[in-house]
Amino acid sequence: MKDAEQVLDELKEDIYQRFHRKCKFNHFSLLAVTDSVISVCMVFKTEKDRKKYEKNAGGIQKELIGYLKDHLKDSGDLKLGDFELHFEIDSEEAEQEALKNQQNGNAPTDEDLARAKAFMREKNRGLSEVGEHIKERFKTDGVHQCFVFYSSQADSFGAFIFYDHDHQIQEAEKSGLAERIKDEVLYALEEVGRGERGTLQVEFEFDSHDNVERNYEGDYFLRLR
């Protein structure tokens, strides 16, 4: 039997293909908050696209809700019964403006805080799981830490892999380990629903725990800034 998260992940990509051109959203996610509440998050590129969607949201949401209910209630893998859909709508443009205001010292509004929370949840979705997967998968090969980040501006990911020791960086390049790690990162990103591996843009950086200890007092936050 599949759990709610698995079923929603399978539906998410199909919904994205069916609705993203009509709605013009850049990112779409489904999250089972409880057994009876599903959160639908749509992030648009610009405020213009978001407002255009909201102007015509009634018909589009009705179609989307119908699609979800048909597939979820008829699923042999999951029995949700009656459930509510909570929509979170935002734009990357508005989020960037909210962050700019915060950096300029302006107090964020409740709307800014809610927007930032929803945006960051979508931006970081599944990335900690990818990092943990890589660390555990290649632990015996000397991988000490792995962090994966997403840049909405560049629409790309950054993967930072840290071996235990300095010498392992070149050794991994020569042995083919580095290429296997890159391939596994692409596989893991696809598994958590961040896109098809052939379309993913990922910048890789390899470093060592030795370097973090030596030059950053063991603080990975300082190293990654």
Side-chain angles (χ1 to χ4, degrees):
M1 292 286 286
K2 298 177 182 177
D3 60 21
E5 185 177 352
Q6 288 177 300
V7 174
L8 292 177
D9 278 344
E10 290 174 2
L11 281 175
K12 181 179 56 188
E13 287 302 316
D14 188 39
I15 290 171
Y16 179 83
Q17 295 300 327
R18 288 171 178 267
F19 289 91
H20 83 280
R21 287 201 177 116
K22 180 185 294 185
C23 301
K24 294 189 176 178
F25 50 71
N26 272 21
H27 305 288
F28 177 86
S29 67
L30 295 170
L31 176 66
V33 181
T34 70
D35 288 341
S36 59
V37 176
I38 296 173
S39 173
V40 182
C41 181
M42 304 165 100
V43 180
F44 295 83
K45 184 73 174 176
T46 67
E47 275 291 276
K48 182 179 178 181
D49 286 339
R50 181 185 68 80
K51 289 177 180 177
K52 184 176 180 181
Y53 166 79
E54 290 185 337
K55 185 178 179 181
N56 302 292
I60 295 173
Q61 285 191 6
K62 184 177 180 181
E63 184 179 349
L64 178 57
I65 290 169
Y67 178 86
L68 273 170
K69 288 191 173 183
D70 286 345
H71 283 72
L72 289 175
K73 286 191 173 182
D74 292 342
S75 173
D77 298 308
L78 179 69
K79 300 299 183 184
L80 276 175
D82 292 329
F83 58 88
E84 298 178 14
L85 293 174
H86 289 183
F87 284 82
E88 295 184 37
I89 313 298
D90 203 355
S91 74
E92 294 179 5
E93 186 176 71
E95 171 58 20
Q96 294 300 325
E97 185 63 28
L99 290 174
K100 187 187 299 181
N101 287 337
Q102 187 174 0
Q103 290 167 358
N104 290 337
N106 298 327
T109 65
D110 290 343
E111 185 180 357
D112 287 338
L113 292 173
R115 175 180 289 124
K117 184 178 179 181
F119 183 82
M120 292 304 294
R121 183 166 61 247
E122 171 59 22
K123 181 178 179 180
N124 296 324
R125 174 175 49 82
L127 300 188
S128 62
E129 288 89 340
V130 172
E132 285 299 314
H133 170 74
I134 297 300
K135 187 172 72 171
E136 290 304 313
R137 169 71 174 78
F138 295 98
K139 190 174 183 178
T140 57
D141 295 301
V143 170
H144 187 85
Q145 280 288 3
C146 176
F147 302 95
V148 183
F149 303 99
Y150 175 71
S151 168
S152 56
Q153 291 180 320
D155 192 22
S156 64
F157 298 88
F160 297 81
I161 293 91
F162 295 85
Y163 299 104
D164 290 317
H165 305 296
D166 292 335
H167 66 84
Q168 292 173 309
I169 300 173
Q170 288 190 347
E171 290 174 0
E173 285 290 336
K174 293 178 181 178
S175 69
L177 172 61
E179 287 302 314
R180 295 201 304 275
I181 292 173
K182 289 179 182 179
D183 189 63
E184 190 69 16
V185 168
L186 291 172
Y187 165 79
L189 284 170
E190 186 175 46
E191 283 294 294
V192 297
R194 296 309 299 259
E196 296 181 7
R197 60 186 300 154
T199 65
L200 293 169
Q201 298 296 318
V202 183
E203 294 292 329
F204 290 92
E205 187 169 335
F206 293 90
D207 202 342
S208 72
H209 181 64
D210 282 347
N211 181 48
V212 177
E213 290 281 353
R214 185 171 55 246
N215 295 308
Y216 300 93
E217 301 178 346
D219 192 329
Y220 279 88
F221 176 76
L222 291 177
R223 166 61 181 84
L224 295 168
R225 288 180 62 180

